[in-house]
Amino acid sequence: MIRRAAIARSLRLLDANRVEGCIVPSRSQYPHQWFWDSCFHAIVLAGRRPAAAVRELESLYAGQWKNGMFPHMRFLSRGAKARYRPNAGDWKTGRPTSGITQPPIIATAARIVYAAARDRRFLRRAYARIRAYHLWLQKSRDPEGSGLVAVLHPWESGMDNSPVYGAAKDRYLRDNPSPNVPPRVDTRKVRAKERPTDDYYRFYWGLIAGFQEDDWDARGMYRRGPVRIADALFNGIWTKANEDLAALAGELGKSKDAALFARWAERSRRAMCKFLWCPRRRFFYSYDLRRGRRILVKTVGGFMPLLAGGVEAKIAAALAECLADRREFFSKFGVPSTSRGEAAFDPVCYWRGPVWISTHWLLVQGLLRCGRRDEALRISEISRGLVERSGYREYYHPFKGEGLGAHGFSWSALAHRMIVPREANNL
Ligand code: 2M8
């Protein structure tokens, strides 16, 4: 009964955050559409409102580029009057979207939504859109076919000020005259210490200016962009997404496509174990493709290769140990976004320490996948508890459980849908 009331509250929140046919992450802080947020919203809705889940995913099509890319943001006209920077005009992409992408979780979301909605028209349309996206991502972010796709801007990783991007930021600011950055608006409603520093904002805007010089040409951006990082979370999601796209292709009888995407998934699994896994430190790290070395900072992203399956039992066991270690990722209120052992760890600052419900959700799927049910249940319970106690906040303090960042934050509704029914993995 309590559970049902909680789910109803989550659905009410999503209803309240619906603007121009899609759900925004938060009405005050993020008044536009974000790519991976909408995928998470669709996953939440699939449980009780499959038709609304279909609509949420389909609302992303309006932003998709002709080359297949799903941009990380689509600007809404109502939101245009709201204060968010960079706005559509700042990006100069020639359309009301940003020019970069975000973690490619749409195939996974579509598989979950299809398992709930069983709507063939949705499946056919979604498949064509997502297939185009995967072909674009593969070609433009892994042109050598290594199995690892690159992130070119920290915003693409979804974990914007993660210390994974700290060294790249420092190098960038050292080598480039500090770009002019318009006054920050993100710190008007959220305390500055919970948001990225001004340096990060100079870096974010500077990278955008560089891409504008390349006229948003994917090849030029990849070749000349100062950041080229195989992010562990992004690649874990990408691998799982190829497996899910293969399942959707199979459902449509497209066996050649199914074999292709299954092969891509397998290639990425191998590449993650070869390049991201560090046998000595027993952890998955993001990898700097420009410099040819791992970025030795432990973040929650390091658990995400588990999502993709096929991880050796001893690797899964090492990660479980790290998850249970108070000096690393164990804390009363969940799994911090950055290890407690890192110098950059900060329990209130955005992706440098706080607990996020989205990464909890991903972690739960990864743990279930490698048979770690107890750990998965613990994280599910903590997630529900956080939302009950502190509301739908953007992130939470790992030791105190207090809410941080934006209020009325949509994807925190995932707390009530941590464990996806088995059908979604068995179309
Ligand atoms: C955050 O990122 C945006 C920029 O894309 C921002 O800080 O303004 C991140 O947490 C990102 O992962 C998320 O998709 C977005 C909207 O919730 O906010």
Side-chain angles (χ1 to χ4, degrees), residues 223-345:
R223 268 206 238 123
R224 283 185 288 276
V227 176
R228 197 191 293 160
I229 289 175
D231 184 278
L233 174 140
F234 198 102
N235 278 277
I237 287 180
W238 169 239
T239 311
K240 167 76 175 128
N242 274 311
E243 182 184 271
D244 290 331
L245 191 56
L248 296 177
E251 185 71 13
L252 287 168
K254 297 179 186 293
S255 52
K256 262 206 186 139
D257 274 13
L260 172 75
F261 296 122
R263 266 201 314 278
W264 284 6
E266 189 45 36
R267 179 173 66 182
S268 297
R269 269 185 209 109
R270 269 187 272 130
M272 288 194 296
C273 287
K274 182 162 174 203
F275 294 101
L276 309 193
W277 177 252
C278 172
R280 201 159 64 79
R281 295 166 193 261
R282 299 165 79 221
F283 200 71
F284 284 108
Y285 293 95
S286 294
Y287 191 92
D288 189 330
L289 293 161
R290 273 199 166 286
R291 301 164 79 79
R293 58 173 89 126
R294 294 186 192 102
I295 302 170
L296 295 176
V297 41
K298 285 189 179 171
T299 71
V300 69
F303 295 99
M304 301 311 166
L306 290 178
L307 272 173
V311 165
E312 280 177 51
K314 65 171 195 258
I315 292 187
L319 291 176
E321 244 176 63
C322 189
L323 208 53
D325 187 340
R326 285 182 192 279
R327 290 161 307 174
E328 303 267 22
F329 288 97
F330 189 93
S331 77
K332 183 165 177 210
F333 292 100
V335 183
S337 38
T338 297
S339 161
R340 298 170 65 168
E342 292 293 343
F345 173 78

Side-chain angles (χ1 to χ4, degrees), residues 25 30 34 36-37 72 84 102 158 160 195 350-351 356 409:
Y30 304 109
W34 265 261
W36 78 321
D37 296 64
H72 101 294
Y84 183 86
Q102 250 189 343
D160 311 358
R195 294 287 306 170
Y350 212 38
W351 288 99
W356 290 71
F409 191 74

Side-chain angles (χ1 to χ4, degrees), residues 379-399:
I379 295 171
S380 302
E381 261 163 42
I382 290 180
S383 307
R384 279 197 294 275
L386 280 171
V387 169
E388 291 312 303
R389 169 197 172 103
S390 305
Y392 294 86
R393 297 296 298 272
E394 192 181 1
Y395 37 98
Y396 302 86
H397 195 296
F399 312 144

